[in-house]
């Protein structure tokens, strides 16, 4: 009887030991696995549109959500291709650039999950006093064009809405990367800029300019630019990770809204090649634009989103019409 009891005790001891080892192995396996890896592709070189991302990295918001985020530069064909092919789970895009990837048999599985800036802050900048403070003033002037159908249709719309003749605008194919030099050299007279970067760069350089915003001329151009996009298929399969990523990013932008100077310093730490005066002044400007009049950072208004794509359909700027509510979701905010 004693031998039987001893045997039972021994078996129980072995089972407890095996269970403990199993738990330890699971713990070690989890520790080895670490945080889930996410690749995030920018739309351009680092700038204040991206500050919330760098704040979230610096403050550890992604780690708190169990994520390890790697930031990469975009390929020549843009962030949309990289995200659509799931080589990156998330990235930065703009509503107008997303458009070609949302239609047809080759449509990309991408959708916007958050608005970086609530309203379109882009427009036309020119040297002050040369008559281009309104679109009609672009008649007879040199406009730096990317030679894109959608872009030229936008310029045509605002010029004609202001009573001007688009055919009189001199289109100069040019990719301007330095607005100050381009305007000072008079190689062009008018440039499409995002005021929060290009416009502020002119202010910092002491260049007096005139400017008009597209959204002030025609409300249909108050579309979303830039936005955070994600791979639709990956997000559906990884809903909790997606919500964790978007939530961490949201915390980053909310911090930048409340603390523009410190947020600007965080961006400068990540990208020390940037001009400090430009970054800090741009950050102050964008801190008021990230959320603006929205109920929360990142939310996308379906009416404004659809209004722009409806205009695109009406103008025949896409061979296949864009459907209502295509290309965005607020579900992960």
């Amino acid at each position: 009887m004693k031998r039987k009891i001893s045997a039972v005790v021994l078996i129980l001891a072995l089972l407890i030991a095996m269970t403990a080892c199993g738990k330890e192995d699971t713990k070690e396996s989890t520790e080895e696995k670490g945080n889930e890896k996410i690749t995030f592709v920018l739309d351009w070189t680092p700038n204040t549109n991206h500050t919330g991302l760098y704040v979230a990295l610096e403050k550890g918001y992604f780690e708190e959500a169990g994520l390890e985020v790697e930031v990469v530069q975009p390929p020549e064909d843009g962030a949309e291709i990289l995200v659509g092919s799931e080589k990156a789970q998330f990235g930065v895009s703009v509503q107008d650039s997303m458009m070609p990837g949302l239609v047809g048999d080759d449509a990309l599985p991408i959708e916007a999950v958050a608005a970086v800036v609530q309203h379109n802050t882009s427009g036309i900048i020119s040297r002050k006093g040369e008559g281009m403070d309104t679109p009609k003033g672009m008649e007879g002037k040199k406009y730096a064009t990317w030679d894109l159908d959608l872009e030229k249709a936008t310029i045509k719309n605002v010029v004609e809405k202001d009573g001007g003749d688009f055919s009189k605008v001199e289109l100069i194919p040019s990719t301007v990367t330095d607005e100050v030099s381009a305007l000072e050299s008079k190689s062009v007279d008018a440039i499409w800029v995002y005021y929060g970067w290009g416009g502020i760069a002119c202010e910092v350089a002491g260049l007096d300019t005139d400017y008009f915003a597209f959204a002030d001329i025609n409300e249909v151009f108050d579309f979303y630019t830039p936005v955070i996009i994600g791979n639709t298929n990956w997000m559906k399969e990884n809903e909790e990770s997606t919500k964790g990523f978007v939530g961490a990013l949201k915390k980053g932008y909310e911090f930048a809204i409340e603390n523009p100077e410190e947020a600007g310093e965080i961006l400068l730490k990540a990208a020390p090649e940037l001009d400090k005066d430009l970054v800090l002044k741009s950050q102050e400007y964008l801190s008021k634009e990230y959320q603006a009049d929205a109920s929360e950072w990142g939310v996308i208004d379906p009416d404004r989103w659809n209004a722009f794509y409806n205009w695109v359909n009406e103008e025949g700027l896409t061979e296949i019409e864009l459907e209502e509510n295509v290309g965005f979701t607020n579900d992960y905010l």
Side-chain angles (χ1 to χ4, degrees):
M1 180 63 71
K2 286 182 180 180
R3 282 198 296 272
K4 287 181 181 179
I5 292 172
S6 296
V8 170
V9 171
L10 179 60
I11 291 169
L12 287 172
L14 286 169
L15 286 172
I16 292 169
M18 289 170 66
T19 301
C21 287
K23 287 181 178 178
E24 189 64 32
D25 289 343
T26 301
K27 181 181 177 183
E28 288 177 3
S29 175
T30 301
E31 288 175 350
E32 287 175 7
K33 184 178 179 182
N35 291 337
E36 183 171 5
K37 293 187 177 180
I38 298 288
T39 300
F40 185 96
V41 57
L42 299 178
D43 56 335
W44 197 248
T45 52
N47 57 68
T48 44
N49 280 338
H50 311 138
T51 303
L53 168 71
Y54 288 103
V55 169
L57 287 166
E58 175 71 16
K59 296 289 185 180
Y61 298 155
F62 291 123
E63 285 84 350
E64 290 172 7
L67 304 172
E68 179 184 337
V69 176
E70 178 188 11
V71 180
V72 299
Q73 292 293 313
E76 285 187 11
D77 48 7
E80 299 83 14
I81 297 295
L82 214 59
V83 174
S85 63
E86 213 174 299
K87 291 179 181 177
Q89 288 74 41
F90 298 95
V92 182
S93 184
V94 292
Q95 189 180 351
D96 47 338
S97 294
M98 288 177 66
M99 185 189 76
L102 298 177
V103 295
D105 296 334
D106 298 325
L108 298 171
I110 59 172
E111 57 188 341
V113 295
V116 174
V117 177
Q118 187 55 219
H119 294 282
N120 183 358
T121 59
S122 71
I124 297 296
I125 199 166
S126 60
R127 291 178 297 275
K128 191 170 184 63
E130 296 188 8
M132 287 168 281
D133 53 330
T134 67
K136 187 180 187 304
M138 294 177 70
E139 290 181 346
K141 300 296 196 300
K142 294 179 289 187
Y143 164 67
T145 178
W146 302 300
D147 204 25
L148 301 174
D149 291 342
L150 181 59
E151 169 219 3
K152 289 184 288 187
T154 301
I155 300 298
K156 181 176 187 290
N157 182 281
V158 296
V159 168
E160 292 181 351
K161 202 168 185 67
D162 192 38
D165 184 346
F166 175 69
S167 68
K168 294 181 180 178
V169 179
E170 188 178 352
L171 303 179
I172 305 296
S174 176
T175 302
V176 174
T177 56
D178 185 339
E179 293 83 4
V180 176
S181 295
L183 291 175
E184 286 183 334
S185 67
K186 298 191 177 182
S187 58
V188 293
D189 302 315
I191 307 170
W192 184 328
V193 298
Y194 286 90
Y195 197 86
W197 192 256
I200 297 297
C202 291
E203 288 186 21
V204 170
L207 177 64
D208 291 333
T209 60
D210 283 322
Y211 172 81
F212 66 83
F214 295 122
D216 289 342
I217 309 300
N218 188 343
E219 63 182 9
V220 79
F221 297 129
D222 194 14
F223 55 86
Y224 284 93
T225 174
V227 293
I228 304 299
I229 60 171
N231 182 284
T232 305
N233 299 331
W234 186 89
M235 293 191 297
K236 285 181 179 177
E237 294 171 2
N238 299 273
E239 184 176 347
E240 290 307 309
S241 295
T242 300
K243 287 181 177 179
F245 174 83
V246 175
L249 200 59
K250 182 178 180 181
K251 285 178 67 176
Y253 280 98
E254 288 174 339
F255 181 92
I257 290 168
E258 296 297 327
N259 308 276
E261 185 172 354
E262 185 178 347
E265 294 288 356
I266 289 172
L267 174 61
L268 287 164
K269 180 180 177 182
E273 69 278 7
L274 296 176
D275 180 270
K276 182 175 182 178
D277 291 339
L278 170 57
V279 166
L280 295 182
K281 192 160 187 177
S282 171
Q283 202 64 64
E284 181 63 34
Y285 172 89
L286 281 180
S287 68
K288 301 175 181 65
E289 299 295 335
Y290 288 135
Q291 182 173 334
D293 54 356
S295 58
E296 60 179 316
W297 176 84
V299 68
I300 295 172
D301 178 357
D303 290 339
R304 281 173 44 215
W305 183 276
N306 289 322
F308 177 64
Y309 279 166
N310 287 338
W311 175 79
V312 168
N313 289 338
E314 291 164 6
E315 293 294 313
L317 294 169
T318 176
E319 292 182 5
I320 302 173
E321 287 199 355
L322 293 147
E323 297 177 359
E324 287 281 298
N325 300 318
V326 67
F328 84 95
T329 178
N330 288 311
D331 291 350
Y332 300 111
L333 283 170

